[in-house]
Amino acid sequence: MEFIQSLISSLRSALSVPTQADADERYLADAVDHVDLERRIASQARAYQALAPLNIGR
């Protein structure tokens, strides 16, 4: 049974396409401590604000 579950899990990971939300979540989950997490959240917020002018008028 464990073999079947690991086979299905590996197939799912091989066939799934990583999205930007998955990458963002993984980036935040890799934080070492609370201070690192806050730094990562702030850096993402700055990156999103830098892209905001590109979305005006859509």
Side-chain angles (χ1 to χ4, degrees):
M1 186 67 177
E2 186 176 330
F3 173 73
I4 295 172
Q5 289 176 340
S6 66
L7 179 65
I8 290 173
S9 175
S10 63
L11 282 174
R12 185 181 306 141
S13 66
L15 297 176
S16 66
V17 177
T19 63
Q20 184 62 39
D22 293 336
D24 290 344
E25 186 175 340
R26 189 170 34 257
Y27 174 70
L28 294 176
D30 289 341
V32 177
D33 58 2
H34 190 267
V35 175
D36 187 28
L37 178 61
E38 287 183 356
R39 182 188 59 78
R40 289 172 186 241
I41 290 172
S43 70
Q44 280 187 335
R46 284 191 301 272
Y48 290 139
Q49 285 181 338
L51 293 175
L54 299 175
N55 292 328
I56 294 175
R58 291 184 182 183

